[in-house]
Amino acid sequence: MFQEQIRQYYDSLTPGFRKLADFIMDHTLDAAFLTVTEISRRVGVDPATVVRFAQEIGYSGYRELSHEIKHYVRDQVTTTYRKSVEAESEEALVHQLLDSTRQNLADFSMTETAKLGEALRILKQAPRVWITGEGPQQAIAQFLARMLQVADIQARAFAPDMLNVAAALSKMEPGDALLVLAISVPDIDSGYLVRMAREKGVHTITIADNTLGAPAHEAELVVLVPTAGETGIPNTGAALAIIALIWEALAGTTAAKTAESFAAYNEYLSEILELRTHTAAYEAILPQTKD
Amino acid sequence: MFRERIEEHYANLTPGFRRLADFILNQTLDVAFLTATELSRRVGIDPATVVRFSQEIGYSGFRELSREIKAYVRGEIAQTYHKAVEAGNEEDLVQALFASKAQDLEQFATTEAPHLAQALKMLQNAERIWIVGEFPSYDIARYLAESLVPLGIPVFHFAPSMVEVAKATNDMQAGDVLLALVFGTPGVDTGHAVKLANAKGIPTVCIADSGTTLAAREAEMAITTPGQSPLDIGSFAISLLIIATLKDALLSSKKEATLAHAAEVQSGIEAARQEAPGN
């Protein structure tokens, strides 16, 4: 291969030949498509020098060297092409997304740890935690509230529509905390909610991926989670992990209580299972099927 | 403990073994997540040397040594975590949590990513998707179902109560896929739902934080997420991260539709604002 040939002869080459060698090694793609005259002009040597250079490093002439360079470049291009096709496989996509998430988590832990710590401090001291989220994140708000209750923390989730906002606001007390999840969703209602809650003396925290939205704009504290990615749509892996970390950090401070709650649940679960297997009523209420 | 054993044998070690010993002592955190081959490559020695080194310092092989290193690292993280909790220092707590999650994610990416890719393929080809989850996993099922609206295929979610399972199983048809989520609970009823769907010939995928839960055992494709926090409570961080990743993967394979959907929602909001300026 031409690279080996060049390396082998490089030390004994004249300065003119070296310039050529450098050009071919560093701009192989360009070199593949240049004629003798064009390459000589680019490097600033005589066309005859190009031919002699090729012979010097073991080829019959520039034609043979050029042929090899073209071949090499074609192989390279094919490999790259194959790679980009592979990047469209499901596994490549999964790894691409996980890589972005990893990067987002690293970025977050570099810049936002203090903010998240402050959010935890506020949430921990609040007598009650109110949680809401727009669109599908309402379900995440519900999840978080449910799990905080398991950890013996007073938490309630509500939908950010007018009626529910009014109902929640009427029950909020100064010192309570309001947590708004606003990650990559258009916000309509939660902006007003944050402002009104704040006016009522409620601590307001927004978790968002930008500071432009109303709930972020109005909140006392914004925890900014990165949703950068390469797929063209927001990468929400880090954001959801961070929301789950809020639970883990809060429940961790009441770990004994949390474990107790889970133990109690599991006890009831076993009892229900027991009842199911021994309840004749189950058979009685089911319609009898005949073989 | 591996530290004592290394120190005890250190003086008699060959140069290659010493390089390995130094690496293990200085980069314990990294070593906990490397296989024998990866470790040998990092240190620049033969994989067989890694095994012989483990035996030299008194282990049956690298497996045993590695297990001890993993336990040590887990303990270290737990200690940092406990200290942070005791000191009431939220920032340290967050840092410790991030460190432990980064490791969990690393582990997931090496062992479970291929399964996730296969699950993704099954869901991409589904004509309709059913998502089942109980207690906190129900909320996650709902989140996922509502987030997948842009896919343009029906996505249903349900809790595995007797009646719901009976109805859902009855409505399932060829081309459908059932996705079961089991996080933080034993998920007995979810397991039954998977079993019934299987019996009907419906392909089933389970994402659970326990590989031995009924749903995971019954499902055609099971993905296990790390679900333990350093402080002996459950952890949902990586589980939710994986749900988000699955969602993002499905949406990005229908990127045009996803972007169009987002634009529609936006213009819908604007239209609503003009209709009712008082809002």
Side-chain angles (χ1 to χ4, degrees):
Chain A
M1 274 300 275
F2 66 94
Q3 282 113 326
E4 277 86 30
Q5 297 295 107
I6 289 175
R7 267 183 224 118
Q8 190 187 325
Y9 288 94
Y10 195 82
D11 281 342
S12 51
L13 293 179
T14 63
F17 282 172
R18 279 205 188 173
K19 253 156 72 187
L20 261 172
D22 292 343
F23 180 77
I24 292 171
M25 294 295 265
D26 299 336
H27 301 94
T28 313
L29 191 65
D30 291 354
F33 301 101
L34 297 177
T35 63
V36 174
T37 326
E38 286 166 333
I39 200 170
S40 71
R41 208 175 299 142
R42 281 283 289 273
V43 181
V45 292
D46 203 52
T49 310
V50 177
V51 179
R52 272 189 288 115
F53 166 76
Q55 290 165 340
E56 178 81 19
I57 62 168
Y59 295 91
S60 61
Y62 182 68
R63 218 184 140 85
E64 197 190 346
L65 170 60
S66 173
H67 187 78
E68 214 178 277
I69 296 174
K70 282 196 177 79
H71 211 82
Y72 170 78
V73 166
R74 208 177 25 242
D75 279 352
Q76 284 294 304
V77 171
T78 324
T79 319
T80 320
Y81 177 66
R82 214 179 298 128
K83 257 186 212 150
S84 82
V85 169
E86 274 166 10
E88 279 164 22
S89 78
E90 283 77 9
E91 199 162 339
L93 178 59
V94 164
H95 279 293
Q96 189 188 46
L97 288 168
L98 290 178
D99 284 346
S100 299
T101 297
R102 209 177 280 137
Q103 190 56 50
N104 285 338
L105 283 172
D107 288 350
F108 182 91
S109 73
M110 293 271 286
T111 58
E112 291 288 298
T113 311
K115 284 275 166 61
L116 185 56
E118 205 181 323
L120 289 173
R121 241 180 327 270
I122 293 171
L123 292 170
K124 215 194 292 178
Q125 281 161 7
R128 273 179 308 179
V129 178
W130 301 82
I131 313 171
T132 191
E134 303 255 13
Q137 281 160 42
Q138 229 183 92
I140 297 295
Q142 184 62 256
F143 164 83
L144 190 56
R146 219 190 283 277
M147 289 313 296
L148 285 173
Q149 288 158 16
V150 173
D152 208 32
I153 293 164
Q154 294 290 320
R156 201 173 302 170
F158 62 98
D161 60 272
M162 253 168 71
L163 281 181
N164 279 298
V165 164
L169 276 167
S170 72
K171 296 267 190 280
M172 286 180 197
E173 301 276 346
D176 283 0
L178 169 68
L179 181 64
V180 179
L181 312 178
I183 295 133
S184 300
V185 285
D187 47 81
I188 27 173
D189 298 311
S190 41
Y192 306 99
L193 161 68
V194 172
R195 191 192 306 165
M196 289 191 278
R198 211 174 160 178
E199 278 163 8
K200 227 184 149 173
V202 171
H203 296 291
T204 51
I205 304 166
T206 295
I207 302 181
D209 59 350
N210 68 74
T211 48
L212 302 171
H217 204 68
E218 302 278 356
E220 179 184 325
L221 179 71
V222 183
V223 180
L224 213 52
V225 294
T227 51
E230 289 168 8
T231 58
I233 59 165
N235 182 314
T236 54
L240 255 71
I242 288 159
I243 293 170
L245 275 188
I246 291 178
W247 177 79
E248 199 169 324
L250 292 174
T253 58
T254 56
K257 273 271 187 238
T258 309
E260 213 174 278
S261 290
F262 270 117
Y265 282 136
N266 286 335
E267 232 164 82
Y268 278 117
L269 279 178
S270 325
E271 221 171 292
I272 293 168
L273 285 176
E274 187 77 4
L275 280 171
R276 273 188 189 173
T277 43
H278 294 109
T279 305
Y282 266 115
E283 285 151 39
I285 56 161
L286 284 176
Q288 297 298 309
T289 48
K290 282 192 176 152
D291 293 324
Chain B
M1 266 290 287
F2 68 95
R3 288 183 167 269
E4 283 81 51
R5 290 206 191 175
I6 290 177
E7 273 152 27
E8 188 187 314
H9 289 90
Y10 195 85
N12 318 318
L13 293 179
T14 63
F17 281 175
R18 278 205 189 171
R19 279 225 308 275
L20 195 53
D22 292 340
F23 189 80
I24 293 174
L25 291 178
N26 299 332
Q27 322 238 23
T28 314
L29 197 67
D30 292 343
V31 176
F33 300 94
L34 297 177
T35 64
T37 322
E38 285 162 347
L39 177 58
S40 71
R41 208 175 301 141
R42 285 281 288 270
V43 182
I45 50 167
D46 202 69
T49 310
V50 176
V51 179
R52 273 189 289 116
F53 168 80
S54 314
Q55 290 164 343
E56 178 82 26
I57 62 168
Y59 294 93
S60 60
F62 180 68
R63 229 184 137 83
E64 197 189 347
L65 170 60
S66 172
R67 201 176 308 133
E68 213 174 77
I69 295 174
K70 280 196 182 80
Y72 168 79
V73 167
R74 238 191 333 266
E76 283 289 294
I77 291 172
Q79 219 171 25
T80 325
Y81 191 93
H82 281 287
K83 260 188 224 152
V85 171
E86 273 162 35
N89 186 333
E90 279 79 11
E91 250 181 274
D92 287 355
L93 179 76
V94 169
Q95 289 291 8
L97 281 176
F98 265 98
S100 96
K101 297 313 154 198
Q103 283 180 22
D104 286 347
L105 180 57
E106 234 22 77
Q107 210 164 355
F108 180 91
T110 23
T111 61
E112 292 295 305
H115 298 162
L116 186 61
Q118 241 167 309
L120 175 60
K121 212 178 292 180
M122 287 168 75
L123 292 167
Q124 274 169 343
N125 294 325
E127 280 165 34
R128 305 191 304 175
I129 300 173
W130 298 81
I131 310 176
V132 60
E134 55 194 285
F135 191 41
S137 308
Y138 173 75
D139 296 318
I140 307 304
R142 185 181 139 208
Y143 167 73
L144 195 51
E146 288 176 359
S147 300
L148 292 180
V149 167
L151 290 185
I153 60 165
V155 182
F156 310 104
H157 66 282
F158 63 100
S161 71
M162 263 172 72
V163 185
E164 288 285 310
V165 171
K167 185 181 184 310
T169 314
N170 186 50
D171 290 347
M172 285 177 199
Q173 56 195 41
D176 291 1
V177 173
L178 173 69
L179 172 62
L181 309 179
V182 186
F183 305 128
T185 52
V188 179
D189 289 338
T190 307
H192 291 148
V194 172
K195 219 169 167 168
L196 284 172
N198 275 343
K200 210 183 159 170
I202 301 294
T204 48
V205 178
C206 173
I207 307 180
D209 54 16
S210 153
T212 54
T213 189
L214 182 61
R217 277 183 285 132
E218 291 289 336
E220 202 172 304
M221 172 56 58
I223 298 148
T224 314
T225 55
Q228 203 52 34
S229 168
L231 196 67
D232 298 330
I233 55 168
S235 170
F236 300 94
I238 303 298
S239 301
L240 288 197
L241 185 157
I242 293 311
I243 292 295
T245 302
L246 181 65
K247 176 201 69 143
D248 292 341
L250 283 166
L251 290 179
S252 66
S253 50
K254 289 218 177 155
K255 191 176 146 194
E256 303 306 320
T258 302
L259 295 175
H261 177 81
E264 270 166 35
V265 170
Q266 195 59 50
S267 64
I269 291 171
E270 249 123 65
R273 269 197 186 127
Q274 279 174 2
E275 281 293 316
N279 272 353

